[in-house]
């Protein structure tokens, strides 16, 4: 098989990139290890920045997001028994949209299939060859048969555990990493939203987050031991923990309902540089991870591939590699800002096992500054909506 761009991974990064390339008349093949049903059912992100929505809308895949996504003009920070609203729109002129990542995936898959895009599911044994030549190739197994794609470029959109980053030449690479030592316990709940806006809560027992998915499904999280197991948490124990962490003086309570999914994720920050070598480029979680507190992961994946699509378009249309060569620098500028913000939100809102009493008081004081100072609230809001 021969194509212009071989893309590994059909997450938001890989699917959107293949669609943006298609819109520019560039051919791509996407290789995905899971089934279509699996990728369309994986529950992950929920918050889309305006810039992400603009990219999806301009690519013609935003109709359902516009119809079904919920526009949020603020978020709440809860601590010390009180809830404080950060008015995102008043402070920045922008808003965010809550629309589940797996719905974005469904929209992108539908668009790719409608355009007869080449999307191969259930591939295995993906191996990259010749990425430092102008004729790279990808070997893999599909439907029990060995196959190979010859391409001009290979793009690793295969997430944190993928094969593309390990295939990068080791020389000159630098990885930056921070493990937080805690995780998030996430539940999906059949019930009406408890709040019109997301609530980020700091409590001595640990962080909690109230988010939504649809008018009948809530997404709730609480800080936990990443080595804990969902089976240790009965529904009653989960509700007791959430009520304890979300306690407040005005009598507001999170709505209970049937819990139909539980999962635990670890929290880490990670950046691998450079994001390119020869004809191999990395995008999204394959190159960087943020803790979910800042809601930035999918937004970064989308902005990476928007840059790559521009670079590839310039290459094929004008024969210039200038933008492609500047990809790492352009992407990392935004990536590091998101790394900073996600680290800061995480530090502000979680309990740290090794925190001294002094550090705990400073953390509480910082939260008071954020809700009390328009300048600090604006800084949070600008970062949260992706205003700069
Ligand atoms: P993905 O989504 O991990 O997709 C990678 C795809 O590659 C496939 N793959 C392979 N295919 C072929 N061969 C191989 N060897 C392969 N290895 C892997 C995988 O099967 C998969 O389909 O990466 P991508 O596209 O870079 O997208 C990144 C986002 O998914 C991620 O950053 C976000 O989900 C992060 N995130 C959030 N981001 C936001 O912008 N807003 C949020 O509100 C938000 N909340 C979250 C989140 C992530 C979470 N988890 C579960 C980590 C909340 C949570 C709980
Ligand atoms: C979510 O709804 O899954 C979500 C929302 C905000 C975050 C992280 C996750 O910061």
């Amino acid at each position: 098989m021969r194509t212009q761009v071989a893309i590994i991974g059909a997450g938001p990064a890989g699917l959107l990139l293949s669609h943006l390339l298609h819109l520019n008349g560039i051919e791509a093949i996407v290789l995905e290890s899971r089934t279509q049903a699996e990728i369309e059912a994986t529950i992950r992100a929920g918050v889309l920045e305006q810039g992400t929505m603009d990219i999806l809308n301009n690519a013609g895949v935003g109709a359902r997001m516009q119809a079904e996504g919920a526009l949020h003009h603020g978020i709440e920070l809860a601590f010390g028994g009180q809830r404080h609203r950060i008015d995102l729109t008043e402070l920045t002129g922008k808003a965010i949209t809550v629309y589940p990542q797996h719905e974005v995936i469904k929209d992108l898959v539908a668009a790719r299939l409608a355009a007869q895009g080449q999307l191969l599911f259930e591939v295995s044994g993906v191996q990259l060859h010749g990425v430092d030549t102008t004729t790279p190739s990808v070997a893999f197994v599909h439907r029990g048969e060995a196959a190979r794609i010859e391409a001009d470029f290979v793009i690793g959109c295969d997430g944190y555990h993928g094969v593309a980053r390990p295939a990068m030449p080791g020389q000159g690479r630098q990885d930056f990493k921070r493990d937080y030592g805690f995780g998030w316990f996430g539940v999906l709940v059949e019930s009406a939203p408890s709040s019109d806006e997301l609530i980020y809560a700091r409590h001595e027992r640990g962080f909690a987050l109230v988010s939504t998915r649809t008018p009948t499904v809530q997404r709730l999280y609480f800080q936990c031991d990443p080595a804990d197991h969902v089976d240790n948490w009965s529904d009653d124990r989960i509700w007791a923990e959430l009520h304890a962490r979300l306690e407040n003086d005005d009598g507001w309570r999170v709505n209970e309902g049937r819990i139909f999914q539980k999962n635990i994720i670890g929290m880490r920050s990670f950046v691998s540089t450079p994001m390119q070598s020869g004809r191999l480029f990395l995008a999204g979680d394959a190159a960087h991870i943020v803790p979910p507190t800042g809601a930035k992961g999918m937004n970064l994946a989308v902005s990476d591939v928007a840059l790559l699509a521009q670079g590839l378009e310039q290459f094929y249309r004008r024969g210039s590699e200038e933008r492609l060569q500047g990809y790492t620098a352009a992407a990392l500028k935004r990536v590091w800002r998101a790394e900073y913000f996600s680290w800061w939100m995480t530090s502000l809102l979680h309990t740290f096992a090794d925190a001294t009493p002094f550090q705990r008081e400073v953390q509480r004081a910082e939260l008071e500054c954020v809700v009390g100072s328009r300048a600090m609230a604006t800084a949070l809001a600008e970062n949260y909506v992706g205003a700069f």
Side-chain angles (χ1 to χ4, degrees), residues 110-282:
R112 295 311 302 122
L113 296 179
Q116 265 104 48
Q118 291 213 66
L119 196 47
L120 306 185
F121 291 103
E122 295 179 83
V123 305
S124 58
V126 171
Q127 285 182 346
L128 281 56
H129 298 283
V131 293
D132 272 338
T133 71
T134 52
T135 53
S137 63
V138 183
F140 59 99
V141 175
H142 186 230
R143 298 199 176 122
E145 292 202 7
R148 179 182 284 267
I149 298 175
E150 320 272 338
D152 299 330
F153 295 93
V154 178
I155 317 291
C157 298
D158 50 349
Y160 183 68
H161 300 288
V163 295
R165 192 176 66 253
M168 281 274 187
Q171 222 191 359
R173 294 210 65 69
Q174 190 171 9
D175 287 355
F176 303 83
K177 191 167 183 168
R178 181 183 167 102
D179 271 307
Y180 292 85
F182 46 75
W184 277 13
F185 196 113
V187 291
L188 282 171
V189 181
E190 215 174 72
S191 62
S194 311
S195 159
D196 291 340
E197 296 177 337
L198 273 64
I199 303 173
Y200 290 81
R202 175 211 184 248
H203 191 273
E204 284 69 36
R205 299 181 68 90
F207 169 78
L209 171 61
V210 177
S211 180
T212 62
R213 278 294 174 271
T214 67
T216 56
V217 175
Q218 290 192 93
R219 179 67 161 154
L220 308 173
Y221 297 97
F222 56 93
Q223 180 183 350
C224 68
D225 177 348
D228 206 341
H229 199 276
V230 291
D231 294 342
N232 295 330
W233 288 82
S234 66
D235 293 4
D236 286 348
R237 186 176 172 210
I238 290 171
W239 289 120
E241 196 59 42
L242 281 166
H243 287 308
R245 296 188 190 190
L246 293 164
E247 67 178 359
N248 65 100
D249 300 340
D250 64 10
W252 173 89
R253 269 169 79 81
V254 65
N255 290 341
E256 292 194 19
R258 187 177 71 85
I259 295 175
F260 62 94
Q261 203 198 81
K262 306 177 186 178
N263 69 329
I264 292 178
I265 55 156
M267 304 272 283
R268 67 166 72 86
S269 301
F270 173 75
V271 180
S272 185
T273 63
M275 288 168 66
Q276 65 197 92
S277 175
R279 290 294 180 95
L280 172 60
F281 292 75
L282 303 179

Side-chain angles (χ1 to χ4, degrees), residues 326-348:
Y327 169 67
T328 293
L332 282 183
K333 228 175 145 174
R334 203 181 145 93
V335 166
W336 273 114
R337 280 207 310 257
E339 291 287 345
Y340 154 70
F341 177 64
S342 307
W343 162 83
W344 178 76
M345 280 281 275
T346 303
S347 309
L348 184 69

Side-chain angles (χ1 to χ4, degrees), residues 2 65 71 86 95 99 106 110 119 128 149 204 220 288 315 341 349:
R2 150 118 214 121
M65 171 183 73
L71 203 59
I86 305 284
Y99 184 65
K106 284 185 203 166
L119 196 47
L128 281 56
I149 298 175
E204 284 69 36
L220 308 173
H288 42 72
F315 175 85
F341 177 64
L349 292 161

Side-chain angles (χ1 to χ4, degrees), residues 63-117:
R64 223 161 52 88
M65 171 183 73
Q66 287 188 57
E68 295 172 23
L71 203 59
H72 287 215
H73 295 285
I75 57 169
E76 290 189 5
L77 297 182
F79 58 96
Q82 299 201 323
R83 292 187 293 146
H84 307 262
R85 183 164 191 264
I86 305 284
D87 191 327
L88 300 172
T89 304
E90 199 241 328
L91 293 168
T92 68
K94 296 193 176 186
I96 49 135
T97 293
V98 176
Y99 184 65
Q101 176 169 325
H102 66 278
E103 301 295 343
V104 175
I105 295 278
K106 284 185 203 166
D107 297 340
L108 286 166
V109 169
R112 295 311 302 122
L113 296 179
Q116 265 104 48

